[in-house]
Amino acid sequence: MILNHLIGLYTHPKQEWLAIERNHEKAGSSLSHILLISLIPAICAYIANTQIGWNPGVGEPLFLTQQSALFMSVGIYFGLIAGVFGLAYLVYWMANTFDVKPSYTQALELAVYTATPLFMVGFSALYPELWFIMLVGLLGLSYSVYLLYTGVPILMRMPEEKGFIYASSVVTCGLVLLVALMGTSVMLWSYGLGPAIQ
């Protein structure tokens, strides 16, 4: 069922990871979860860019044209999905180094449910103040890392000490992936695909 683990990951994460491990769902369930949850930052960014405006700290709020905001929101949506699949592949690929043999579905579950708090941060765009978004983003990132460290030993069926090292490797790869996505954005902006302010 879509989003069936969402509340449990916030209220009792360890027990929820155990439930995910016991009842491995098909890849379609993880896919539908990420397709739905990725809409949150994309839609909230579109609303903030066209209806609320971004406050740069001085002067009037900045608004994007509807076409530019739509283009950016679609880019955000597909970029987030690609990032989760990239992270799932890295989780799956690194597993051999740690002598575990997860299925790709298990790696996808770990990536999808770990990324969920980061995607929920998208709601903060509805209050487009930079300091607020940074604060909420830091909290979301911290909780995602916590979920990763909690979930790796359970989903990958390994001791916690080994799981800590594995999760640390995943965090490092995730940061590299994030920098790659940001670099791609900067390159696209330099080719004239950046935002158009009203």
Side-chain angles (χ1 to χ4, degrees):
M1 184 173 148
I2 300 173
L3 303 180
N4 60 343
H5 298 292
L6 186 61
I7 294 173
L9 287 172
Y10 284 100
T11 57
H12 45 76
K14 203 165 219 177
Q15 292 88 336
E16 200 62 35
W17 280 123
L18 289 167
I20 292 168
E21 170 58 25
R22 275 192 308 271
N23 308 312
H24 282 295
E25 298 164 347
K26 295 182 180 175
S29 179
S30 295
L31 180 61
S32 59
H33 177 89
I34 201 64
L35 290 176
L36 186 61
I37 208 96
S38 296
L39 287 171
I40 293 170
I43 291 172
C44 291
Y46 179 81
I47 293 169
N49 286 323
T50 59
Q51 307 299 316
I52 303 170
W54 288 89
N55 188 351
V58 292
E60 296 294 315
L62 301 174
F63 294 87
L64 298 184
T65 63
Q66 290 198 2
Q67 182 180 1
S68 179
L70 181 63
F71 179 74
M72 288 186 65
S73 293
V74 169
I76 288 169
Y77 181 71
F78 288 109
L80 291 174
I81 293 169
V84 169
F85 276 101
L87 185 62
Y89 177 76
L90 289 171
V91 167
Y92 181 72
W93 176 73
M94 283 193 307
N96 288 331
T97 307
F98 292 88
D99 299 323
V100 290
K101 304 283 185 210
S103 66
Y104 185 75
T105 302
Q106 285 173 284
L108 185 61
E109 282 177 332
L110 183 66
V112 164
Y113 293 120
T114 298
T116 297
L118 279 175
F119 291 3
M120 300 298 280
V121 166
F123 283 119
S124 67
L126 297 176
Y127 183 68
E129 296 280 343
L130 187 58
W131 67 269
F132 179 72
I133 291 172
M134 293 298 288
L135 178 64
V136 175
L138 184 61
L139 292 173
L141 178 64
S142 300
Y143 198 71
S144 284
V145 170
Y146 170 73
L147 283 179
L148 179 68
Y149 279 98
T150 307
V152 161
I154 296 169
L155 282 186
M156 298 296 142
R157 297 180 187 134
M158 60 173 56
E160 286 199 18
E161 301 79 23
K162 197 174 185 181
F164 180 82
I165 297 169
Y166 182 56
S168 299
S169 302
V170 172
V171 167
T172 304
C173 289
L175 290 174
V176 170
L177 192 61
L178 179 63
V179 169
L181 285 172
M182 292 172 68
T184 303
S185 298
V186 169
M187 285 176 29
L188 290 174
W189 285 25
S190 67
Y191 287 118
L193 299 174
I197 299 173
Q198 288 184 354

